[in-house]
Amino acid sequence: MLTRLPRCAECAGLPVRLRVKVDEPTTPGSQTEHLREWESPLYRDALAQFDLIARKMGLDENLYHRLRFPQRTTIVSFPFRREGYFKVDTVFGYRVQHVLSMGPTKGGVRFAPDVNLGEVAALAMLMTWKTALMGLPFGGAKGGVRINPRELSRAELQRLTRRYTAELMNVIGPQRDIPAPDLGTNEQVMAWMMDTYSQHIGYTVPAVVTGKPPALGGSVARREATGRGLVSLFPSAANHLGMRLEGARVAVHGFGNVGSLAALAAQQLGCRVVAVADYLSGVANDKGLDVESLIRWTSEKKVLQGFPEADAISGEAVLEVDCDILIPAAVGGVITKANADRIRAKIVAEGANGPTTVEADEILREAGVFVIPDILANAGGVTASYFEWVQDLQNYFWTESETVARLREIMNRAFDEVLQISIKEKVDLRSAALMKAIRRVAEAKLMRGVYP
Ligand code: NAD
């Protein structure tokens, strides 16, 4: 058991009212009704995880309540002109900043048809834990626009991005909140965000976003950082489990930035990538898929479907193929209590944010699956984003080998620390990672005190 955190000195001795009971359901008229604002399966899961660990750690009650909800939430609706000029759609955008006490906030922007406030809030909370775990000087944030980017022309995507950025002028900035790419956004979208922000400010501000193209102050190796960072943990994980990586079978669910580059890094490490999926379908080949050909195919055809020298399977089937390592790298909530007992991998390395529900996590734990949790496994992205932000502020850029070496070092140090906590506390890696992260945020909040 971790030692209890000291209580807030100013509050010591004062009666602390527990306004929200741990695990109390959100029912109309109940004291937890205000949870409705954030209602979504992902937010409920994020809270359930947090509640569990807060209880284990004996977290200060005031802090416990403080950390359950984001500090600042921005919801915007704005007009967006479609091709043809006369059609104007109204779309919804969000930016949620969970903890403002650690420095600027940091987190991705997703463009997806099902984006909502609860999902974005949950992801912002995960970002707080992730940045704290990695020792980065940020709180967590997340943003999104509810739209299907695959249906937009390039000009529409640019207009949407610029208007969304303009709506957020008061809440983002290099010392306020620094967006980055996520689901449905990429380097080009970050370039348009940076340009829009700079046009409003009146001079070029590269440090307002990360994940930019290197020509605009982006960091070399940022694009590869999440996938590569995740795979850089495989040797330590395999070593801990006494497993051979040479020829180990890997399945990857989601073949975008994270999935495709994780697959490539795994292949370069000597693993055999046997199945991959995108939003439409999956492909499998037990002899191994050539990841470079897959990347060429998808950059041309946009989807995996039709890739020769592979069997067509469903996306869901990719999660359940016979493999040693499964990398969920698409969306949240894909490993659930309905399919968790059919996962055959020995290691699940969470490239996506929140791919495993709380119930599924328990099933995997009982089955002895070694889950490398999202806040650790995919932290390479935000770590490289931190490098990019530092380089932009200093106008001094590192070489690729410096960047890759520092990334590998930070990732592996975090993995080792989390593994040690998990052994010492006899908990899984997710609990250990959350304990370390929550402790750091709690200490910072206690030291800062309550204003006024
Ligand atoms: P992306 O848009 O580049 O790729 C997403 C991929 O997932 C695409 O291949 C898409 O077809 C596929 N996909 C979407 N819905 C799917 C579904 N229901 N079933 C199967 N496949 C589906 O996005 P990305 O940047 O690679 O992000 C993927 C995940 O990784 C997200 O959960 C994101 O939050 C997380 N993440 C991304 C980064 C980053 O640096 N990009 C960092 C940390 C975490």
Side-chain angles (χ1 to χ4, degrees):
M1 202 57 167
L2 286 183
T3 49
R4 281 181 79 92
L5 277 167
R7 289 189 60 85
C8 167
E10 288 160 34
C11 307
L14 293 179
V16 180
R17 275 189 305 129
L18 191 61
R19 279 170 293 129
V20 183
K21 286 209 189 88
V22 175
D23 291 343
E24 189 180 325
T26 308
T27 45
S30 82
Q31 288 179 311
T32 57
E33 202 184 344
H34 57 285
L35 271 182
R36 282 169 160 219
E37 305 282 349
W38 320 102
E39 190 59 36
S40 79
L42 205 57
Y43 195 65
R44 253 178 282 137
D45 269 8
L47 278 188
Q49 274 176 7
F50 173 65
D51 289 353
L52 203 75
I53 303 304
R55 213 166 21 201
K56 269 200 174 108
M57 298 170 63
L59 185 66
D60 178 281
E61 241 162 52
N62 290 332
L63 279 171
Y64 164 71
H65 291 297
R66 202 61 212 92
L67 290 171
R68 292 185 100 219
F69 305 102
Q71 279 190 246
R72 189 184 288 148
T73 294
T74 307
I75 306 177
V76 293
S77 72
F78 55 90
F80 154 56
R81 196 181 287 286
R82 305 300 299 252
E83 295 303 26
Y85 197 82
F86 293 109
K87 179 155 172 44
V88 176
D89 281 351
T90 292
V91 293
F92 299 93
Y94 307 91
R95 187 74 188 168
V96 174
Q97 297 159 341
H98 177 241
V99 162
L100 302 174
S101 319
M102 311 296 289
T105 46
K106 184 96 194 71
V109 171
R110 57 172 53 178
F111 291 171
D114 49 0
V115 163
N116 59 64
L117 179 62
E119 177 185 274
V120 173
L123 294 166
M125 184 186 276
L126 281 182
M127 281 305 294
T128 296
W129 311 143
K130 196 183 300 182
T131 49
L133 175 65
M134 304 311 283
L136 309 179
F138 302 124
K142 204 77 178 191
V145 179
R146 193 186 306 158
I147 199 154
N148 185 352
R150 285 189 288 270
E151 288 170 359
L152 303 182
S153 69
R154 184 181 158 88
E156 285 176 328
L157 184 64
Q158 177 168 179
R159 281 201 293 278
L160 179 89
T161 304
R162 288 187 182 281
R163 181 63 192 244
Y164 171 66
T165 311
E167 296 288 336
L168 299 184
M169 279 304 292
N170 293 333
V171 292
I172 60 171
Q175 303 301 339
R176 282 190 176 149
D177 180 12
I178 307 132
D182 194 71
L183 211 62
T185 58
N186 56 20
E187 286 186 349
Q188 178 60 77
V189 170
M190 292 305 115
W192 289 327
M193 286 191 83
M194 184 277 249
D195 184 68
T196 306
Y197 184 86
S198 301
Q199 297 292 346
H200 280 248
I201 294 286
Y203 53 89
T204 298
V205 189
V208 66
V209 295
T210 58
K212 302 176 293 294
L216 297 178
S219 175
V220 284
R222 166 62 184 89
R223 203 163 58 83
E224 299 82 1
T226 310
R228 207 185 250 176
L230 176 140
V231 172
S232 76
L233 302 180
F234 285 7
S236 305
N239 188 33
H240 172 69
L241 298 173
M243 190 180 127
R244 258 174 69 83
L245 275 182
E246 187 64 39
R249 286 156 307 159
V250 175
V252 186
H253 185 253
F255 202 69
N257 173 279
V258 179
S260 66
L261 295 167
L264 187 63
Q267 183 175 279
Q268 286 162 352
L269 201 63
C271 302
R272 187 157 39 113
V273 177
V274 293
V276 299
D278 65 12
Y279 75 96
L280 199 60
S281 62
V283 292
N285 185 339
D286 202 48
K287 293 197 184 76
L289 296 155
D290 177 23
V291 179
E292 279 167 13
S293 306
L294 274 172
I295 291 175
R296 270 196 305 276
W297 176 272
T298 48
S299 66
E300 201 182 303
K301 314 269 183 202
K302 306 292 173 224
V303 290
L304 290 164
Q305 204 171 51
F307 181 72
E309 296 161 42
D311 300 324
I313 60 172
S314 73
E316 294 78 49
V318 168
L319 294 165
E320 299 169 18
V321 295
D322 191 10
C323 66
D324 300 296
I325 304 175
L326 171 64
I327 307 175
V331 289
V334 294
I335 305 179
T336 64
K337 64 179 177 200
N339 65 359
D341 60 354
R342 294 197 297 275
I343 302 290
R344 291 196 264 173
K346 298 179 189 70
I347 298 177
V348 171
E350 296 182 336
N353 285 311
T356 312
T357 65
V358 171
E359 295 104 334
D361 208 26
E362 181 140 11
I363 297 170
L364 295 182
R365 193 164 46 244
E366 273 167 19
V369 179
F370 189 75
V371 178
I372 310 179
D374 46 8
I375 63 168
L376 174 60
N378 70 32
V382 71
T383 306
S385 276
Y386 164 63
F387 295 164
E388 180 175 335
W389 178 71
V390 167
Q391 293 171 77
D392 286 340
L393 292 178
Q394 297 183 341
N395 283 310
Y396 177 76
F397 292 89
W398 311 348
T399 62
E400 179 161 359
S401 57
E402 276 174 300
T403 313
V404 171
R406 285 183 199 189
L407 178 66
R408 193 174 302 129
E409 188 207 319
I410 293 184
M411 290 295 293
N412 279 283
R413 191 174 57 214
F415 180 85
D416 290 343
E417 286 169 359
V418 170
L419 186 62
Q420 288 317 311
I421 295 173
S422 90
I423 293 168
K424 186 161 166 247
E425 303 294 332
K426 299 188 178 53
V427 292
D428 59 2
L429 285 199
R430 191 185 314 277
S431 303
L434 284 167
M435 280 176 175
K436 183 168 154 50
I438 294 170
R439 169 164 289 270
R440 177 157 182 251
V441 178
E443 277 172 1
K445 279 210 168 275
L446 279 177
M447 298 285 276
R448 284 189 65 154
V450 178
Y451 172 85

